[in-house]
Each structure stands twice: as C-alpha cells, then as structure tokens.
Amino acid sequence: MRLGSHTYLPAPDDAGPGKGALAKGGLLVTLEASEEILQEFVDTMSFLEKQISQRWASSETWFCGSSAE
C-alpha cells in the first residue's frame, strides 16, 4: 500500500516480532511498535478514501444530470 512516497509492506501473520516495513528507493525499514498504529491509520485512510470516492461519484452524477439554466 502506498503511503505518500513510501510503500507499506504488512508483515505476514506468522512474522513474530517483525511488524511490517516501509520501503522507498530500495531501502527497507522494519516497523515494530508502530505497526498497530500505522495499520489503524491505513485502515482509516482507506475507509475515508472509499467514502470520498462514493460521494464524488454521486456528486458528479448529480452535476452531469442537472439541466443548465
């Protein structure tokens, strides 16, 4: 998943202490304590992005379907 200029790579379920990584330009930073917080943030941002996309699509439909005065 993209996070700005970084790519977030979640850890496999059986990863042990590894909690995922951030990658950029071939460099990898392993996450530990922040994984849970980062995952919550990513989930929230994904939810908000879906909501905005739905609202944007419905507003475009409304706008395109309205008659010009």
Side-chain angles (χ1 to χ4, degrees):
M1 171 173 281
R2 297 289 300 167
L3 292 174
S5 61
H6 295 79
T7 301
Y8 171 63
L9 307 167
D13 291 334
D14 60 349
K19 303 290 187 181
L22 283 179
K24 180 179 179 180
L27 300 174
L28 204 61
V29 176
T30 302
L31 303 174
E32 292 180 14
S34 62
E35 162 86 18
E36 189 175 319
I37 294 167
L38 182 58
Q39 185 62 53
E40 185 178 328
F41 173 77
V42 169
D43 292 344
T44 300
M45 293 304 290
S46 295
F47 173 78
L48 291 173
E49 182 179 29
K50 288 176 190 173
Q51 294 293 314
I52 290 171
S53 293
Q54 290 172 353
R55 290 179 184 188
W56 184 264
S58 68
S59 70
E60 284 183 340
T61 301
W62 175 83
F63 180 72
C64 292
S66 65
S67 60
E69 295 185 50

